[in-house]
Amino acid sequence: LKAEAEQAIQGAKDLETLKQLRVKYLGKKGELTAVLRGMGELSAEERPVIGKLANDIRQTLERILDEKETALEKAAMEARLKEETIDVTLPGVPRPLGSIHPLTAVIQQVENIFIGMGFEVAEGPEVEKDWYNFEALNMPKDHPARDMQDSFYITREILLRTQTSPVQVRTLQAKEGKVPVRMICPGKVYRRDDDDATHSHQFTQIEGLVVDRGVSMSELKGTLLAFAKQMFGEDHEFRFRPSYFPFTEPSMEMDMSCMICGGEGCRICKETGWIEILGAGMVHPNVLEKSGYNAERYTGFAFGMGVERIAMIKYGIDDIRHFYTNDLRVLRQFQSV
Ligand code: PHE
């Protein structure tokens, strides 16, 4: 029995077989156990002899079973380690990386430039009261200038804001007549336009406002020139042209020369060699008064620009719809911006 068991144990190829062998020889119904159980039938002389023998065998078998088990476990572990070896020289699996959307990138650039000039960044609601969007900005209900900004009305008094100027009104109100006010407000605006290469019913604006004692037109021009040079580079010329906005007087628009661009990059450039980049002006006294500021004491300037327009000019994008269609071929070109 001992010899047979030893041979079987040494020959076991895996842990499962070994477990079965342990049961077979040493288990409750095992062969050695049967011998020990049969001891009662033996004579008094035989009993101690056979008993000792059986116990010795049991101990031996237990020892070699344990040894074999350790050996098999070690072998199994080694096999697994060998199989799971990692080849660190294999090329990795590249994961697609997202990037900042060009409109977000331009907003951040504009914000950084103005923050550098001491401006704060403010935000306001996109669903706005008619009063903030128009009335407080010197555009009463029957004002013809309302036609310049065809609006999405929700009720008679509530609409999707057509410009970010209402944020400036809200900021003035919150400041309760105190100066200085130096803020810009980026955000989405909505107008009833048919979408095409240069129009979108939803687009993005950044407007700015400064109110203080003795704010002048020359400060406005200096601020805008400093901004534009940082945004577009020193190589461009800029000019101011008289214009009209109901909330500023006098009003003007700022143009940038696009003579130096040639070939593909500047298709957006007009025949004249100038392209409009923003509107601006001295805050109309009515606007200051409506927001609780004494227009005798304080003056201010305001400006507003379309973010899509700035991005199109800066990066030579010829269709505003590229910003909204999420074409990865377009977006990937802005990964380094
Ligand atoms: N809110 C104006 C617009 O959307 C832009 C602007 C702002 C013009 C401030 C002048 C001063 O047309």
Side-chain angles (χ1 to χ4, degrees), residues 107 111 115 119-125 161 164-172 174-175 181-188 205-209:
I107 292 173
E111 282 181 356
I115 287 169
F119 283 69
E120 284 168 34
V121 180
E123 284 182 4
R161 68 181 178 194
T164 46
S165 318
V167 185
Q168 306 181 322
V169 177
R170 287 175 176 277
T171 303
L172 288 178
K175 291 247 181 187
V181 177
R182 285 175 86 80
M183 56 84 75
I184 55 166
C185 42
K188 294 190 183 85
Q205 273 194 335
I206 298 183
E207 297 201 17
L209 173 70

Side-chain angles (χ1 to χ4, degrees), residues 129-142 146 157 163 169 286-287 290:
K129 289 189 177 144
D130 182 279
W131 191 84
Y132 284 102
N133 194 82
F134 288 130
E135 207 105 354
L137 290 158
N138 204 28
M139 293 163 89
K141 284 251 154 63
D142 53 357
R146 284 196 179 206
E157 295 303 330
Q163 46 191 354
V169 177
N286 287 352
V287 175
K290 274 197 181 357

Side-chain angles (χ1 to χ4, degrees), residues 149 162-163 165 168 191 205 207-208 245 247-248 279-281 302-304:
Q149 304 180 0
T162 60
Q163 46 191 354
S165 318
Q168 306 181 322
R191 292 185 194 178
Q205 273 194 335
E207 297 201 17
F245 299 104
F247 28 82
T248 48
F303 54 88

Side-chain angles (χ1 to χ4, degrees), residues 53-201:
L53 188 65
N55 266 328
D56 284 351
I57 294 176
R58 165 171 215 116
Q59 270 167 21
T60 314
L61 289 186
E62 257 167 15
R63 186 172 47 79
I64 57 174
L65 270 169
D66 288 349
E67 277 168 17
K68 187 70 185 176
E69 187 174 279
T70 317
L72 281 176
E73 270 169 1
K74 209 174 141 202
M77 176 60 93
E78 258 159 30
R80 230 177 85 198
L81 284 177
K82 209 170 199 172
E83 205 174 284
E84 289 178 4
T85 305
I86 295 168
D87 182 354
V88 292
T89 64
L90 278 176
V93 183
R95 296 188 182 275
L97 256 193
S99 55
I100 294 184
H101 191 276
L103 289 180
T104 310
V106 168
I107 292 173
Q108 287 173 351
Q109 290 165 16
V110 176
E111 282 181 356
N112 285 340
I113 294 170
F114 281 103
I115 287 169
M117 293 193 281
F119 283 69
E120 284 168 34
V121 180
E123 284 182 4
E126 289 172 32
V127 178
E128 187 53 282
K129 289 189 177 144
D130 182 279
W131 191 84
Y132 284 102
N133 194 82
F134 288 130
E135 207 105 354
L137 290 158
N138 204 28
M139 293 163 89
K141 284 251 154 63
D142 53 357
H143 199 288
R146 284 196 179 206
D147 296 344
M148 286 161 70
Q149 304 180 0
D150 214 349
S151 322
F152 289 111
Y153 274 90
I154 291 168
T155 69
R156 236 179 83 80
E157 295 303 330
I158 295 173
L159 73 161
L160 297 181
R161 68 181 178 194
T162 60
Q163 46 191 354
T164 46
S165 318
V167 185
Q168 306 181 322
V169 177
R170 287 175 176 277
T171 303
L172 288 178
Q173 280 189 343
K175 291 247 181 187
E176 295 178 325
K178 290 190 205 71
V179 290
V181 177
R182 285 175 86 80
M183 56 84 75
I184 55 166
C185 42
K188 294 190 183 85
V189 298
Y190 303 82
R191 292 185 194 178
R192 285 183 55 175
D193 271 326
D194 290 327
D195 292 358
D196 61 24
T198 53
H199 294 85
S200 172
H201 61 282

Side-chain angles (χ1 to χ4, degrees), residues 102-103 106 109-110 197-198 227-229 231-233 235-238 241 253-270 273-279 304-320 322-323 334:
L103 289 180
V106 168
Q109 290 165 16
V110 176
T198 53
F227 157 72
K229 284 186 175 161
M231 194 67 197
F232 295 105
D235 301 336
H236 295 270
E237 274 181 71
F238 299 95
R241 199 166 27 79
E253 277 170 77
M254 187 181 191
D255 295 340
M256 178 174 84
S257 71
C258 42
M259 311 277 268
I260 57 150
C261 17
E264 285 297 289
C266 284
R267 266 167 303 162
I268 196 155
C269 214
K270 290 183 185 158
W274 294 95
I275 186 153
E276 179 211 320
I277 55 172
L278 53 81
M305 66 191 91
V307 176
E308 284 80 355
R309 191 180 176 79
I310 301 284
M312 287 166 85
I313 297 169
K314 183 158 178 175
Y315 299 115
I317 300 169
D318 59 4
D319 194 318
I320 195 170
H322 283 317
F323 292 120
F334 292 92

